[in-house]
Amino acid sequence: MSGGDSRLSAELEDVRDFLAAHHPLDLLPAEEVDRLATMVVIRYLARGRALMAPGDAVDALTIVRSGALETRSPAGDLLARAGEGEAAGVRALLAGGRAVNRIEAIEDTLVYQIPASEFARLRAERPAVAYHYSPSGAERLRGARLAVGDGDASGLTSRRVAELLRRTPVTAGPDATVRDASSVMAREAISCLPIVEAGALVGILTDRDLRNRVLAAGRPPDTPVRAVMTPAPWTVPASAFLFEALIALSHRGVHHLPVVGSEGELVGVVTTTDLLRTQSRSVVFLAGDIQSRADAAGIAEALAPLSAMVLDMVEAGVGAYGVGHAVTALADAATRRLIELAEDALGPPPVPYAWLALGSQGRHEQTARSDQDNALLLDDAYDPAAHGAYFEALARRVCDGLATAGFVHCPGEVMALTERWRQPLAVWKRTFARWIDTPDPKALMEASVFFDLRVVQGERGLGDALQRFALDKAAGNGVFLAHLAGNALTHPPPLGLFRNLVLISSGEHRRTLDLKHSGVVPVVDLARLYALDAGIDAVNTRDRLEAARETGRLSAPGARDLIDALDFLALMRLKHQARRIRAGKVADNYLAPEDLSGFERGHLKDAFAVIKSFQAAAATTWRGGLG
């Protein structure tokens, strides 16, 4: 081919397979993709040849099959590049079918072109196509957001009864004696025995049957089981959801349900205890269990299901905001219980104090893998000579206990265990004043952690006084905020000039993306900037962005865009951690792009692009304070 247009019916199958493999066309019904394939015009562009120039009429959506296209403004500025599976000419089509920029091939390129009329029809009839080809990446990202906080973390509406079955059912025949059946139940440590005749379930013998129909009735041990069993028991299919089994048990007033397979065959038994045990991974149950423990080892045991709980929540559709609050609630519960145990051992505190959670715990944003950041805020009546030993011992018991429970010591030693972070209110005020008045790199790093403080236990008034002092001093402080903005911009999102993902180039995590430091942290930093500038006392990132919108520091669309970016990135991070937990690996933050679908990769780029634009705005808004 030499650059002209032609239709190659012999290649229709290849065209169809290519379209079906790339987003958003991969979401279309098969018959729709087949129809599109028959309409595609295949075009070859030699290197340097223009696809369109400013002012040209554009009558097709162009998708790169192989090669690459480059978009430049009329002034010659490089705007974008499109590679395999990516589209070109979208803006022109959405702007009335007239090109504004020049698009040309930067290497020999083969493209598929879908007629503009078909593109318009797809956008009108297929929401997935409409929001993917929205003019705004933020709008596309908004369309991709999953519901936050509306999932079923208990698993009752998402898990199947089959998941609870752990063994082949032990059975007996109806002519077995009560003595033999009881011996089987004792030997197998089971509370019920399904009764099977000719391969069919005919009854069930339970502990209650033995008590009420044998012992209480005075029947002899050689009584046949058929005389005392519960005949024709209610059953539940293995494919039923847990809530269906729970309703059946409650409605029938029984404690055992035989489970049958697709052919009606007995595959197991589910009990009330089995179903209640599934709730042992709920936040409320775990928090209560923590409170009942008498030492750090017991708290660690209570927290053992934490990773599985996070997995349940993610798979049930709970978003990062909900998961973060749930995990943090358990960290708080562990902290409070360890403080109570420490006070029981050491006696009442000699002066009032507040235990501060910092960083992700302070923001209610902990995940399955979080270290501890904390500090002790003491009343100004504190005397190091008289009281120092007590609070050092308390801090050691709590911090070491948290480490035992799975919240490892902070690598930077930002813990109450460190004497520097165990100070009276007056000293803390001087520390914050120094950070704000002399914002050197180390001060900025420390301030970023300590501005996210929250009282977990103790005198809340102490924490409120310190937070108010810090906010009043930082609010509107141009020089400090300029330096803090500069520090925030040291975490750029991994998005290259041509919207390509920039991966870690070496080391243990080579060829991956750091979703924490390159994705979530930049939004956390931006939200902190907005909050400090406005004197907002919220510490959760999402809450800070909402408050910044309410105070007018951030526009409503801007707040919505950043929240969408945060939710999507945090959800991708949680889903990645859940996949690792499911595979028996340690949860981390390093995601390989090949683990994502084309849909997810596209929206990941949209999220990074939103952050990048807000970082540029932050540089303009606050960095000017250094001039």
Side-chain angles (χ1 to χ4, degrees), residues 42 56 81 123 167 240 280 282 293 342 372 384 457 472 477 502 527 542 569 576 585 596 602:
I42 301 174
D56 285 353
R81 280 181 177 166
R123 291 188 68 244
R167 61 186 297 179
S280 67
S282 73
R293 301 298 179 135
Q372 56 176 290
Q457 183 82 329
D472 288 346
N477 187 319
V502 180
R542 186 187 178 111
L569 288 166
H576 165 71
K585 300 176 181 178
L596 298 174

Side-chain angles (χ1 to χ4, degrees), residues 261-486:
S262 58
E263 303 297 326
E265 74 280 13
L266 179 72
V267 294
V269 176
V270 65
T271 70
T272 303
T273 301
D274 294 329
L275 289 164
L276 291 177
R277 191 177 294 122
T278 67
Q279 303 310 294
S280 67
R281 298 203 309 224
S282 73
V283 178
V284 174
F285 182 94
L286 292 181
D289 196 12
I290 289 168
Q291 187 59 36
S292 71
R293 301 298 179 135
D295 55 29
I299 293 172
E301 184 179 351
L303 282 169
L306 176 59
S307 291
M309 184 200 78
V310 172
L311 175 61
D312 288 346
M313 295 182 78
V314 173
E315 292 185 337
V318 179
Y321 187 80
V323 173
H325 276 75
V327 176
T328 303
L330 296 178
D332 287 356
T335 302
R336 284 191 289 267
R337 183 56 180 154
L338 287 166
I339 290 173
E340 291 171 358
L341 293 172
E343 290 187 1
D344 288 345
L346 300 172
V351 297
Y353 73 92
W355 186 279
L356 304 179
L358 310 170
S360 61
Q361 185 182 0
R363 298 191 306 271
H364 284 106
E365 293 171 7
Q366 288 189 295
T367 67
R369 180 174 176 80
S370 294
D371 55 14
Q372 56 176 290
D373 293 299
N374 48 61
L376 262 176
L377 169 57
L378 307 169
D379 188 89
D380 281 337
Y382 171 75
D383 178 355
H387 311 141
Y390 177 93
F391 287 108
E392 180 182 3
L394 182 139
R396 183 169 299 280
R397 285 174 177 267
V398 177
C399 291
D400 288 350
L402 287 171
T404 298
F407 300 98
V408 299
H409 285 146
C410 172
E413 298 184 344
V414 179
M415 298 175 291
L417 193 58
T418 305
E419 184 178 6
R420 184 183 176 200
W421 309 129
R422 199 170 61 242
Q423 298 293 340
L425 178 59
V427 174
W428 274 112
K429 287 182 176 179
R430 289 198 296 270
T431 299
F432 271 88
R434 185 180 70 253
W435 286 336
I436 295 168
D437 293 337
T438 313
D440 58 55
K442 184 176 181 181
L444 291 168
M445 180 185 67
E446 292 172 342
S448 295
V449 176
F450 282 86
F451 270 113
D452 299 344
L453 68 86
R454 180 173 55 84
V455 176
V456 173
Q457 183 82 329
E459 297 295 324
R460 186 166 301 277
L462 286 171
D464 291 344
L466 179 58
Q467 186 183 49
R468 193 68 262 160
F469 171 85
L471 288 175
D472 288 346
K473 190 163 183 61
N477 187 319
V479 174
F480 172 69
L481 293 174
H483 281 283
L484 196 63

Side-chain angles (χ1 to χ4, degrees), residues 23 41 282 297 544:
H23 191 72
V41 171
S282 73
R544 279 173 164 169

Side-chain angles (χ1 to χ4, degrees), residues 17-42:
D17 291 346
F18 181 83
L19 296 177
H22 290 83
H23 191 72
L25 304 183
D26 59 338
L27 300 180
L28 297 179
E31 59 273 16
E32 184 80 271
V33 180
D34 289 345
R35 181 173 184 272
L36 276 180
T38 65
M39 298 184 173
V40 162
V41 171
I42 301 174

Side-chain angles (χ1 to χ4, degrees), residues 41-64:
V41 171
I42 301 174
R43 186 175 177 187
Y44 170 76
L45 298 170
R47 179 180 179 181
R49 179 162 182 173
L51 173 70
M52 64 184 70
D56 285 353
V58 178
D59 59 3
L61 173 71
T62 299
I63 299 175
V64 177

Side-chain angles (χ1 to χ4, degrees), residues 359-360 363 365 367 371 373 444-445 448-449 452 484-494 513-530 539 541-542 544-545 562 565-571 573 589-590 607-608 611-612 614-615:
S360 61
R363 298 191 306 271
E365 293 171 7
T367 67
D371 55 14
D373 293 299
L444 291 168
M445 180 185 67
S448 295
V449 176
D452 299 344
L484 196 63
N487 189 62
L489 298 180
T490 61
H491 294 111
L513 298 164
D514 183 345
L515 289 180
K516 177 181 178 181
H517 292 99
S518 297
V520 174
V521 167
V523 186
V524 171
D525 289 343
L526 286 167
R528 187 185 297 111
L529 268 170
Y530 287 113
V539 290
T541 300
R542 186 187 178 111
R544 279 173 164 169
L545 293 172
L562 272 175
L566 173 67
D567 286 347
F568 187 80
L569 288 166
L571 183 61
R573 180 187 179 197
N589 300 302
Y590 299 97
F608 289 147
I611 297 170
K612 202 166 188 176
F614 275 90
Q615 285 188 332

